[in-house]
PDB file of all heavy atoms in Angstrom:
ATOM      1  N   PHE C  15       4.554  48.629  35.543  1.00 88.00           N
ATOM      2  CA  PHE C  15       4.901  49.342  34.306  1.00 88.00           C
ATOM      3  C   PHE C  15       3.720  50.058  33.711  1.00 88.00           C
ATOM      4  O   PHE C  15       3.898  50.997  32.934  1.00 88.00           O
ATOM      5  CB  PHE C  15       5.566  48.397  33.304  1.00 88.00           C
ATOM      6  CG  PHE C  15       4.658  47.305  32.789  1.00 88.00           C
ATOM      7  CD1 PHE C  15       3.955  47.478  31.629  1.00 88.00           C
ATOM      8  CD2 PHE C  15       4.506  46.091  33.509  1.00 88.00           C
ATOM      9  CE1 PHE C  15       3.097  46.478  31.165  1.00 88.00           C
ATOM     10  CE2 PHE C  15       3.657  45.109  33.028  1.00 88.00           C
ATOM     11  CZ  PHE C  15       2.954  45.297  31.829  1.00 88.00           C
ATOM     12  N   LYS C  16       2.489  49.683  34.088  1.00 89.00           N
ATOM     13  CA  LYS C  16       1.325  50.405  33.617  1.00 89.00           C
ATOM     14  C   LYS C  16       1.246  51.746  34.346  1.00 89.00           C
ATOM     15  O   LYS C  16       0.880  52.761  33.760  1.00 89.00           O
ATOM     16  CB  LYS C  16       0.033  49.605  33.884  1.00 89.00           C
ATOM     17  CG  LYS C  16      -0.015  48.278  33.139  1.00 89.00           C
ATOM     18  CD  LYS C  16      -1.293  47.517  33.465  1.00 89.00           C
ATOM     19  CE  LYS C  16      -1.251  46.111  32.852  1.00 89.00           C
ATOM     20  NZ  LYS C  16      -2.460  45.365  33.122  1.00 89.00           N
ATOM     21  N   VAL C  17       1.608  51.733  35.627  1.00 93.00           N
ATOM     22  CA  VAL C  17       1.641  52.991  36.414  1.00 93.00           C
ATOM     23  C   VAL C  17       2.680  53.919  35.783  1.00 93.00           C
ATOM     24  O   VAL C  17       2.457  55.127  35.579  1.00 93.00           O
ATOM     25  CB  VAL C  17       1.996  52.701  37.904  1.00 93.00           C
ATOM     26  CG1 VAL C  17       2.180  54.025  38.662  1.00 93.00           C
ATOM     27  CG2 VAL C  17       0.901  51.842  38.536  1.00 93.00           C
ATOM     28  N   MET C  18       3.830  53.338  35.431  1.00 92.00           N
ATOM     29  CA  MET C  18       4.905  54.123  34.799  1.00 92.00           C
ATOM     30  C   MET C  18       4.438  54.694  33.446  1.00 92.00           C
ATOM     31  O   MET C  18       4.745  55.815  33.097  1.00 92.00           O
ATOM     32  CB  MET C  18       6.115  53.205  34.583  1.00 92.00           C
ATOM     33  CG  MET C  18       7.342  53.847  34.095  1.00 92.00           C
ATOM     34  SD  MET C  18       8.709  52.668  34.019  1.00 92.00           S
ATOM     35  CE  MET C  18       8.117  51.512  32.775  1.00 92.00           C
ATOM     36  N   GLY C  19       3.656  53.895  32.686  1.00 88.00           N
ATOM     37  CA  GLY C  19       3.120  54.351  31.398  1.00 88.00           C
ATOM     38  C   GLY C  19       2.044  55.417  31.543  1.00 88.00           C
ATOM     39  O   GLY C  19       1.864  56.293  30.680  1.00 88.00           O
ATOM     40  N   MET C  20       1.336  55.387  32.693  1.00 90.00           N
ATOM     41  CA  MET C  20       0.256  56.353  32.962  1.00 90.00           C
ATOM     42  C   MET C  20       0.827  57.694  33.430  1.00 90.00           C
ATOM     43  O   MET C  20       0.257  58.742  33.173  1.00 90.00           O
ATOM     44  CB  MET C  20      -0.616  55.765  34.083  1.00 90.00           C
ATOM     45  CG  MET C  20      -1.970  56.347  34.192  1.00 90.00           C
ATOM     46  SD  MET C  20      -2.710  55.980  35.830  1.00 90.00           S
ATOM     47  CE  MET C  20      -3.778  54.652  35.495  1.00 90.00           C
ATOM     48  N   ALA C  21       1.989  57.629  34.121  1.00 93.00           N
ATOM     49  CA  ALA C  21       2.547  58.822  34.777  1.00 93.00           C
ATOM     50  C   ALA C  21       2.713  60.023  33.865  1.00 93.00           C
ATOM     51  O   ALA C  21       2.423  61.164  34.277  1.00 93.00           O
ATOM     52  CB  ALA C  21       3.866  58.452  35.475  1.00 93.00           C
ATOM     53  N   PRO C  22       3.214  59.875  32.615  1.00 91.00           N
ATOM     54  CA  PRO C  22       3.405  61.066  31.775  1.00 91.00           C
ATOM     55  C   PRO C  22       2.110  61.842  31.451  1.00 91.00           C
ATOM     56  O   PRO C  22       2.185  62.989  31.060  1.00 91.00           O
ATOM     57  CB  PRO C  22       4.023  60.506  30.470  1.00 91.00           C
ATOM     58  CG  PRO C  22       4.601  59.212  30.870  1.00 91.00           C
ATOM     59  CD  PRO C  22       3.738  58.674  31.974  1.00 91.00           C
ATOM     60  N   TYR C  23       0.959  61.222  31.645  1.00 91.00           N
ATOM     61  CA  TYR C  23      -0.286  61.909  31.369  1.00 91.00           C
ATOM     62  C   TYR C  23      -0.699  62.805  32.578  1.00 91.00           C
ATOM     63  O   TYR C  23      -1.619  63.585  32.436  1.00 91.00           O
ATOM     64  CB  TYR C  23      -1.408  60.874  31.106  1.00 91.00           C
ATOM     65  CG  TYR C  23      -1.213  60.131  29.809  1.00 91.00           C
ATOM     66  CD1 TYR C  23      -0.459  58.975  29.762  1.00 91.00           C
ATOM     67  CD2 TYR C  23      -1.799  60.605  28.645  1.00 91.00           C
ATOM     68  CE1 TYR C  23      -0.278  58.280  28.571  1.00 91.00           C
ATOM     69  CE2 TYR C  23      -1.608  59.926  27.431  1.00 91.00           C
ATOM     70  CZ  TYR C  23      -0.851  58.771  27.411  1.00 91.00           C
ATOM     71  OH  TYR C  23      -0.675  58.102  26.218  1.00 91.00           O
ATOM     72  N   GLY C  24      -0.047  62.634  33.691  1.00 94.00           N
ATOM     73  CA  GLY C  24      -0.421  63.392  34.901  1.00 94.00           C
ATOM     74  C   GLY C  24       0.600  64.470  35.244  1.00 94.00           C
ATOM     75  O   GLY C  24       1.646  64.579  34.618  1.00 94.00           O
ATOM     76  N   ASP C  25       0.292  65.216  36.287  1.00 96.00           N
ATOM     77  CA  ASP C  25       1.149  66.291  36.765  1.00 96.00           C
ATOM     78  C   ASP C  25       1.557  65.958  38.195  1.00 96.00           C
ATOM     79  O   ASP C  25       0.751  65.993  39.143  1.00 96.00           O
ATOM     80  CB  ASP C  25       0.371  67.592  36.735  1.00 96.00           C
ATOM     81  CG  ASP C  25       1.175  68.800  37.311  1.00 96.00           C
ATOM     82  OD1 ASP C  25       2.308  68.577  37.757  1.00 96.00           O
ATOM     83  OD2 ASP C  25       0.637  69.912  37.322  1.00 96.00           O
ATOM     84  N   ALA C  26       2.825  65.595  38.362  1.00 97.00           N
ATOM     85  CA  ALA C  26       3.323  65.148  39.649  1.00 97.00           C
ATOM     86  C   ALA C  26       3.198  66.239  40.723  1.00 97.00           C
ATOM     87  O   ALA C  26       3.100  65.942  41.925  1.00 97.00           O
ATOM     88  CB  ALA C  26       4.767  64.714  39.527  1.00 97.00           C
ATOM     89  N   ALA C  27       3.222  67.506  40.299  1.00 97.00           N
ATOM     90  CA  ALA C  27       3.189  68.603  41.274  1.00 97.00           C
ATOM     91  C   ALA C  27       1.819  68.788  41.917  1.00 97.00           C
ATOM     92  O   ALA C  27       1.701  69.492  42.900  1.00 97.00           O
ATOM     93  CB  ALA C  27       3.617  69.883  40.570  1.00 97.00           C
ATOM     94  N   LYS C  28       0.794  68.156  41.364  1.00 97.00           N
ATOM     95  CA  LYS C  28      -0.561  68.344  41.909  1.00 97.00           C
ATOM     96  C   LYS C  28      -0.750  67.697  43.261  1.00 97.00           C
ATOM     97  O   LYS C  28      -1.599  68.059  44.027  1.00 97.00           O
ATOM     98  CB  LYS C  28      -1.596  67.761  40.921  1.00 97.00           C
ATOM     99  CG  LYS C  28      -1.902  68.715  39.756  1.00 97.00           C
ATOM    100  CD  LYS C  28      -3.214  68.376  39.113  1.00 97.00           C
ATOM    101  CE  LYS C  28      -3.663  69.509  38.230  1.00 97.00           C
ATOM    102  NZ  LYS C  28      -4.956  69.295  37.629  1.00 97.00           N
ATOM    103  N   TYR C  29       0.001  66.627  43.524  1.00 97.00           N
ATOM    104  CA  TYR C  29      -0.132  65.937  44.821  1.00 97.00           C
ATOM    105  C   TYR C  29       1.233  65.663  45.408  1.00 97.00           C
ATOM    106  O   TYR C  29       2.157  65.282  44.689  1.00 97.00           O
ATOM    107  CB  TYR C  29      -0.879  64.580  44.617  1.00 97.00           C
ATOM    108  CG  TYR C  29      -2.306  64.777  44.194  1.00 97.00           C
ATOM    109  CD1 TYR C  29      -2.653  64.758  42.839  1.00 97.00           C
ATOM    110  CD2 TYR C  29      -3.314  65.024  45.102  1.00 97.00           C
ATOM    111  CE1 TYR C  29      -3.949  64.978  42.394  1.00 97.00           C
ATOM    112  CE2 TYR C  29      -4.625  65.228  44.705  1.00 97.00           C
ATOM    113  CZ  TYR C  29      -4.935  65.216  43.343  1.00 97.00           C
ATOM    114  OH  TYR C  29      -6.235  65.431  42.936  1.00 97.00           O
ATOM    115  N   ASP C  30       1.364  65.911  46.693  1.00 97.00           N
ATOM    116  CA  ASP C  30       2.618  65.716  47.395  1.00 97.00           C
ATOM    117  C   ASP C  30       2.592  64.339  48.054  1.00 97.00           C
ATOM    118  O   ASP C  30       1.849  64.124  49.005  1.00 97.00           O
ATOM    119  CB  ASP C  30       2.816  66.818  48.427  1.00 97.00           C
ATOM    120  CG  ASP C  30       4.101  66.666  49.189  1.00 97.00           C
ATOM    121  OD1 ASP C  30       4.881  65.753  48.855  1.00 97.00           O
ATOM    122  OD2 ASP C  30       4.309  67.418  50.156  1.00 97.00           O
ATOM    123  N   PHE C  31       3.369  63.405  47.533  1.00 98.00           N
ATOM    124  CA  PHE C  31       3.397  62.036  48.072  1.00 98.00           C
ATOM    125  C   PHE C  31       4.522  61.834  49.084  1.00 98.00           C
ATOM    126  O   PHE C  31       4.802  60.706  49.495  1.00 98.00           O
ATOM    127  CB  PHE C  31       3.565  61.030  46.909  1.00 98.00           C
ATOM    128  CG  PHE C  31       2.236  60.553  46.331  1.00 98.00           C
ATOM    129  CD1 PHE C  31       1.107  61.335  46.388  1.00 98.00           C
ATOM    130  CD2 PHE C  31       2.159  59.287  45.758  1.00 98.00           C
ATOM    131  CE1 PHE C  31      -0.111  60.906  45.866  1.00 98.00           C
ATOM    132  CE2 PHE C  31       0.931  58.835  45.254  1.00 98.00           C
ATOM    133  CZ  PHE C  31      -0.205  59.639  45.290  1.00 98.00           C
ATOM    134  N   SER C  32       5.187  62.934  49.497  1.00 97.00           N
ATOM    135  CA  SER C  32       6.369  62.793  50.341  1.00 97.00           C
ATOM    136  C   SER C  32       6.077  62.129  51.699  1.00 97.00           C
ATOM    137  O   SER C  32       6.948  61.567  52.322  1.00 97.00           O
ATOM    138  CB  SER C  32       7.061  64.129  50.573  1.00 97.00           C
ATOM    139  OG  SER C  32       6.151  65.015  51.201  1.00 97.00           O
ATOM    140  N   ARG C  33       4.814  62.186  52.136  1.00 98.00           N
ATOM    141  CA  ARG C  33       4.487  61.541  53.415  1.00 98.00           C
ATOM    142  C   ARG C  33       4.636  59.997  53.362  1.00 98.00           C
ATOM    143  O   ARG C  33       4.675  59.329  54.394  1.00 98.00           O
ATOM    144  CB  ARG C  33       3.057  61.932  53.850  1.00 98.00           C
ATOM    145  CG  ARG C  33       1.960  61.277  52.999  1.00 98.00           C
ATOM    146  CD  ARG C  33       0.567  61.523  53.566  1.00 98.00           C
ATOM    147  NE  ARG C  33       0.142  62.898  53.272  1.00 98.00           N
ATOM    148  CZ  ARG C  33      -1.081  63.356  53.570  1.00 98.00           C
ATOM    149  NH1 ARG C  33      -1.968  62.562  54.174  1.00 98.00           N
ATOM    150  NH2 ARG C  33      -1.417  64.571  53.234  1.00 98.00           N
ATOM    151  N   LEU C  34       4.651  59.440  52.150  1.00 98.00           N
ATOM    152  CA  LEU C  34       4.673  57.961  52.021  1.00 98.00           C
ATOM    153  C   LEU C  34       6.014  57.366  52.341  1.00 98.00           C
ATOM    154  O   LEU C  34       6.105  56.190  52.743  1.00 98.00           O
ATOM    155  CB  LEU C  34       4.239  57.546  50.619  1.00 98.00           C
ATOM    156  CG  LEU C  34       2.805  57.822  50.224  1.00 98.00           C
ATOM    157  CD1 LEU C  34       2.536  57.446  48.784  1.00 98.00           C
ATOM    158  CD2 LEU C  34       1.828  57.052  51.159  1.00 98.00           C
ATOM    159  N   ALA C  35       7.100  58.124  52.122  1.00 98.00           N
ATOM    160  CA  ALA C  35       8.443  57.550  52.362  1.00 98.00           C
ATOM    161  C   ALA C  35       9.477  58.654  52.479  1.00 98.00           C
ATOM    162  O   ALA C  35       9.339  59.727  51.862  1.00 98.00           O
ATOM    163  CB  ALA C  35       8.816  56.644  51.188  1.00 98.00           C
ATOM    164  N   THR C  36      10.495  58.409  53.258  1.00 97.00           N
ATOM    165  CA  THR C  36      11.583  59.368  53.401  1.00 97.00           C
ATOM    166  C   THR C  36      12.936  58.613  53.313  1.00 97.00           C
ATOM    167  O   THR C  36      13.009  57.436  53.679  1.00 97.00           O
ATOM    168  CB  THR C  36      11.555  60.107  54.767  1.00 97.00           C
ATOM    169  OG1 THR C  36      11.546  59.126  55.814  1.00 97.00           O
ATOM    170  CG2 THR C  36      10.360  61.012  54.875  1.00 97.00           C
ATOM    171  N   PHE C  37      13.957  59.315  52.856  1.00 98.00           N
ATOM    172  CA  PHE C  37      15.309  58.791  52.909  1.00 98.00           C
ATOM    173  C   PHE C  37      16.140  59.825  53.647  1.00 98.00           C
ATOM    174  O   PHE C  37      16.423  60.921  53.131  1.00 98.00           O
ATOM    175  CB  PHE C  37      15.854  58.522  51.498  1.00 98.00           C
ATOM    176  CG  PHE C  37      17.264  58.005  51.501  1.00 98.00           C
ATOM    177  CD1 PHE C  37      17.524  56.705  51.982  1.00 98.00           C
ATOM    178  CD2 PHE C  37      18.313  58.780  51.060  1.00 98.00           C
ATOM    179  CE1 PHE C  37      18.834  56.217  52.028  1.00 98.00           C
ATOM    180  CE2 PHE C  37      19.634  58.300  51.105  1.00 98.00           C
ATOM    181  CZ  PHE C  37      19.874  57.007  51.557  1.00 98.00           C
ATOM    182  N   GLU C  38      16.534  59.502  54.881  1.00 96.00           N
ATOM    183  CA  GLU C  38      17.289  60.425  55.718  1.00 96.00           C
ATOM    184  C   GLU C  38      18.388  59.695  56.448  1.00 96.00           C
ATOM    185  O   GLU C  38      18.160  58.584  56.933  1.00 96.00           O
ATOM    186  CB  GLU C  38      16.356  61.107  56.752  1.00 96.00           C
ATOM    187  CG  GLU C  38      15.489  62.187  56.154  1.00 96.00           C
ATOM    188  CD  GLU C  38      14.375  62.611  57.123  1.00 96.00           C
ATOM    189  OE1 GLU C  38      14.415  62.198  58.274  1.00 96.00           O
ATOM    190  OE2 GLU C  38      13.468  63.371  56.674  1.00 96.00           O
ATOM    191  N   ASN C  39      19.552  60.332  56.519  1.00 96.00           N
ATOM    192  CA  ASN C  39      20.708  59.759  57.215  1.00 96.00           C
ATOM    193  C   ASN C  39      20.977  58.317  56.807  1.00 96.00           C
ATOM    194  O   ASN C  39      21.281  57.472  57.615  1.00 96.00           O
ATOM    195  CB  ASN C  39      20.500  59.810  58.742  1.00 96.00           C
ATOM    196  CG  ASN C  39      20.177  61.236  59.198  1.00 96.00           C
ATOM    197  OD1 ASN C  39      20.761  62.174  58.689  1.00 96.00           O
ATOM    198  ND2 ASN C  39      19.237  61.351  60.113  1.00 96.00           N
ATOM    199  N   GLY C  40      20.840  58.069  55.478  1.00 97.00           N
ATOM    200  CA  GLY C  40      21.185  56.741  54.979  1.00 97.00           C
ATOM    201  C   GLY C  40      20.134  55.679  55.189  1.00 97.00           C
ATOM    202  O   GLY C  40      20.379  54.481  54.915  1.00 97.00           O
ATOM    203  N   GLU C  41      18.973  56.041  55.703  1.00 97.00           N
ATOM    204  CA  GLU C  41      17.937  55.024  55.966  1.00 97.00           C
ATOM    205  C   GLU C  41      16.670  55.356  55.174  1.00 97.00           C
ATOM    206  O   GLU C  41      16.180  56.486  55.212  1.00 97.00           O
ATOM    207  CB  GLU C  41      17.602  54.940  57.446  1.00 97.00           C
ATOM    208  CG  GLU C  41      18.697  54.365  58.317  1.00 97.00           C
ATOM    209  CD  GLU C  41      19.092  52.924  57.971  1.00 97.00           C
ATOM    210  OE1 GLU C  41      18.210  52.159  57.523  1.00 97.00           O
ATOM    211  OE2 GLU C  41      20.281  52.577  58.133  1.00 97.00           O
ATOM    212  N   LEU C  42      16.118  54.367  54.521  1.00 98.00           N
ATOM    213  CA  LEU C  42      14.827  54.522  53.851  1.00 98.00           C
ATOM    214  C   LEU C  42      13.739  54.073  54.842  1.00 98.00           C
ATOM    215  O   LEU C  42      13.821  53.026  55.444  1.00 98.00           O
ATOM    216  CB  LEU C  42      14.765  53.586  52.621  1.00 98.00           C
ATOM    217  CG  LEU C  42      13.424  53.492  51.901  1.00 98.00           C
ATOM    218  CD1 LEU C  42      13.128  54.790  51.133  1.00 98.00           C
ATOM    219  CD2 LEU C  42      13.381  52.314  50.930  1.00 98.00           C
ATOM    220  N   ILE C  43      12.757  54.961  55.013  1.00 98.00           N
ATOM    221  CA  ILE C  43      11.633  54.583  55.913  1.00 98.00           C
ATOM    222  C   ILE C  43      10.311  54.751  55.182  1.00 98.00           C
ATOM    223  O   ILE C  43       9.982  55.865  54.693  1.00 98.00           O
ATOM    224  CB  ILE C  43      11.636  55.424  57.212  1.00 98.00           C
ATOM    225  CG1 ILE C  43      12.905  55.135  57.987  1.00 98.00           C
ATOM    226  CG2 ILE C  43      10.406  55.078  58.070  1.00 98.00           C
ATOM    227  CD1 ILE C  43      13.246  56.127  59.050  1.00 98.00           C
ATOM    228  N   ILE C  44       9.566  53.656  55.012  1.00 98.00           N
ATOM    229  CA  ILE C  44       8.239  53.710  54.398  1.00 98.00           C
ATOM    230  C   ILE C  44       7.219  53.973  55.492  1.00 98.00           C
ATOM    231  O   ILE C  44       7.329  53.383  56.588  1.00 98.00           O
ATOM    232  CB  ILE C  44       7.939  52.378  53.692  1.00 98.00           C
ATOM    233  CG1 ILE C  44       9.022  52.045  52.646  1.00 98.00           C
ATOM    234  CG2 ILE C  44       6.543  52.401  53.070  1.00 98.00           C
ATOM    235  CD1 ILE C  44       9.127  52.954  51.475  1.00 98.00           C
ATOM    236  N   ASN C  45       6.247  54.802  55.240  1.00 98.00           N
ATOM    237  CA  ASN C  45       5.208  55.114  56.231  1.00 98.00           C
ATOM    238  C   ASN C  45       4.173  53.997  56.220  1.00 98.00           C
ATOM    239  O   ASN C  45       3.281  53.952  55.356  1.00 98.00           O
ATOM    240  CB  ASN C  45       4.586  56.469  55.895  1.00 98.00           C
ATOM    241  CG  ASN C  45       3.621  56.911  56.967  1.00 98.00           C
ATOM    242  OD1 ASN C  45       3.141  56.100  57.764  1.00 98.00           O
ATOM    243  ND2 ASN C  45       3.308  58.205  56.996  1.00 98.00           N
ATOM    244  N   THR C  46       4.292  53.109  57.197  1.00 96.00           N
ATOM    245  CA  THR C  46       3.398  51.910  57.218  1.00 96.00           C
ATOM    246  C   THR C  46       2.002  52.236  57.794  1.00 96.00           C
ATOM    247  O   THR C  46       1.223  51.355  58.082  1.00 96.00           O
ATOM    248  CB  THR C  46       4.057  50.755  57.974  1.00 96.00           C
ATOM    249  OG1 THR C  46       4.435  51.219  59.278  1.00 96.00           O
ATOM    250  CG2 THR C  46       5.239  50.184  57.255  1.00 96.00           C
ATOM    251  N   ASP C  47       1.747  53.546  57.971  1.00 97.00           N
ATOM    252  CA  ASP C  47       0.340  53.906  58.211  1.00 97.00           C
ATOM    253  C   ASP C  47      -0.453  53.824  56.922  1.00 97.00           C
ATOM    254  O   ASP C  47      -1.657  53.668  56.902  1.00 97.00           O
ATOM    255  CB  ASP C  47       0.221  55.353  58.746  1.00 97.00           C
ATOM    256  CG  ASP C  47       0.652  55.481  60.186  1.00 97.00           C
ATOM    257  OD1 ASP C  47       0.747  54.415  60.854  1.00 97.00           O
ATOM    258  OD2 ASP C  47       0.942  56.622  60.623  1.00 97.00           O
ATOM    259  N   TYR C  48       0.268  53.966  55.781  1.00 97.00           N
ATOM    260  CA  TYR C  48      -0.378  54.035  54.459  1.00 97.00           C
ATOM    261  C   TYR C  48      -0.100  52.834  53.577  1.00 97.00           C
ATOM    262  O   TYR C  48      -0.974  52.368  52.852  1.00 97.00           O
ATOM    263  CB  TYR C  48       0.088  55.277  53.701  1.00 97.00           C
ATOM    264  CG  TYR C  48      -0.344  56.589  54.327  1.00 97.00           C
ATOM    265  CD1 TYR C  48       0.492  57.311  55.179  1.00 97.00           C
ATOM    266  CD2 TYR C  48      -1.612  57.080  54.063  1.00 97.00           C
ATOM    267  CE1 TYR C  48       0.083  58.507  55.727  1.00 97.00           C
ATOM    268  CE2 TYR C  48      -2.046  58.284  54.619  1.00 97.00           C
ATOM    269  CZ  TYR C  48      -1.192  58.999  55.467  1.00 97.00           C
ATOM    270  OH  TYR C  48      -1.601  60.187  55.999  1.00 97.00           O
ATOM    271  N   ALA C  49       1.125  52.337  53.549  1.00 96.00           N
ATOM    272  CA  ALA C  49       1.486  51.341  52.535  1.00 96.00           C
ATOM    273  C   ALA C  49       2.485  50.310  53.145  1.00 96.00           C
ATOM    274  O   ALA C  49       3.047  50.522  54.231  1.00 96.00           O
ATOM    275  CB  ALA C  49       2.143  52.017  51.358  1.00 96.00           C
ATOM    276  N   ASN C  50       2.707  49.226  52.375  1.00 94.00           N
ATOM    277  CA  ASN C  50       3.502  48.089  52.842  1.00 94.00           C
ATOM    278  C   ASN C  50       2.949  47.573  54.139  1.00 94.00           C
ATOM    279  O   ASN C  50       3.692  47.300  55.105  1.00 94.00           O
ATOM    280  CB  ASN C  50       4.976  48.472  53.037  1.00 94.00           C
ATOM    281  CG  ASN C  50       5.673  48.662  51.697  1.00 94.00           C
ATOM    282  OD1 ASN C  50       5.012  48.828  50.685  1.00 94.00           O
ATOM    283  ND2 ASN C  50       6.991  48.619  51.665  1.00 94.00           N
TER     284      ASN C  50
END
């Protein structure tokens, strides 16, 4: 919830985090090269 509280101070468009996870064809896939 601290991350959530910090988020409004930043600009989400500055960094593209889409490489971390995708949701395609009904499946969520987390990129385990980076996280989890």
